[in-house]
Amino acid sequence: MTIPDPLRAGFERFRVSQFESQRRVWRELAKGQKPHALVIGCADSRVDPAAIFDAGPGELFIVRNVANLVPPYEPDSGHHGVSAALEFAVKTLGIEHVVVLGHKDCGGVHAAVTGAAEGTEFVHRWISPLQSALSESRHHCGYDAPTETLCNDLELRSVQHSLDRLLKFPFVAKAVEAGTLTLHGARFGIADGQLEWLERNEGFQPVSI
């Protein structure tokens, strides 16, 4: 098996510049992990939660998927990767925060608005939870609103809907009620580097630095 050149080069840089300088950290992490937050982010290659929050090894428990969605609570025999990660993070790791991290120019959101995912084998069904939020975006922005306007609204509204779905998971609701878990929503701007944070009763607000 041949490692692709970009991956080999990256691994070599990691070993030389990061692993060696933090060998003690990695030894401790080998004993177990205690991340302080779960970040549910988008699989988009441009939106890396660890980079955005400058997080070191072991700080964040990250699950990424198309359009940073929290799926519906469906306790059936299906394969539920996001739900499994959520359960493990809350019940086993005891994380204190869950962050649903959206981003601007999201391809999954654009596909939902334009119908571009229709006919796909998996993507169309995966992003179907966006439909209820999309209906709200169309009502709010106007049914003849430009695609860009709808996408911008839906990127934010989808995060809110995902937070609502999180509370449908009994173990999440229980932890939130007990005060041991806090839910957050955010959106990152790829081009401008701006982070918007969902504040109670104030909507999404820019994080000042």
Side-chain angles (χ1 to χ4, degrees):
M1 180 181 295
T2 302
I3 302 176
D5 290 341
L7 298 183
R8 175 179 288 279
F11 175 67
E12 290 175 355
R13 290 194 301 271
F14 161 74
R15 280 300 304 266
V16 172
S17 65
Q18 295 185 48
F19 185 83
E20 292 301 331
S21 64
Q22 301 183 68
R23 185 176 286 273
R24 182 178 299 176
V25 172
W26 287 101
R27 286 201 194 100
E28 289 300 312
L29 287 173
K31 301 174 183 177
Q33 60 173 318
K34 188 61 179 176
H36 58 81
L38 162 65
V39 180
I40 301 174
C42 186
D44 192 304
S45 61
R46 303 166 295 176
V47 188
D48 179 4
I52 293 169
F53 296 111
D54 192 26
E59 292 185 35
L60 299 178
F61 192 71
I62 300 171
V63 58
R64 299 171 70 176
N65 63 73
V66 174
N68 46 268
L69 290 174
V70 173
Y73 174 64
E74 296 174 329
D76 54 32
S77 60
H79 292 83
H80 302 290
V82 175
S83 301
L86 176 62
E87 181 179 34
F88 183 75
V90 174
K91 297 174 70 173
T92 302
L93 297 179
I95 51 95
E96 300 172 358
H97 303 276
V98 175
V99 181
V100 179
L101 177 63
H103 69 95
K104 294 182 180 180
D105 304 307
C106 179
V109 167
H110 187 271
V113 171
T114 62
E118 292 181 9
T120 57
E121 190 171 2
F122 298 108
V123 176
H124 179 66
R125 185 173 185 277
W126 172 253
I127 65 174
S128 61
L130 286 171
Q131 290 305 309
S132 59
L134 177 56
S135 295
E136 292 179 10
S137 291
R138 284 178 170 146
H139 179 75
H140 175 76
C141 300
Y143 289 88
D144 58 348
T147 296
E148 182 179 355
T149 300
L150 285 171
C151 286
N152 181 72
D153 187 83
L154 183 56
E155 286 166 1
L156 299 174
R157 202 174 296 272
S158 172
V159 170
Q160 295 173 311
H161 276 236
S162 278
L163 292 172
D164 291 340
R165 285 193 293 275
L166 276 173
L167 291 172
K168 301 297 183 182
F169 289 77
F171 54 87
V172 172
K174 181 179 179 180
V176 170
E177 185 177 356
T180 59
L181 179 65
T182 305
L183 308 182
H184 308 272
R187 181 176 68 165
F188 175 72
I190 296 172
D192 58 19
Q194 184 179 79
L195 183 67
E196 299 165 276
W197 204 262
L198 182 58
E199 301 288 354
R200 186 186 298 272
N201 301 323
E202 297 181 22
F204 285 86
Q205 300 296 322
V207 176
S208 59
I209 56 174

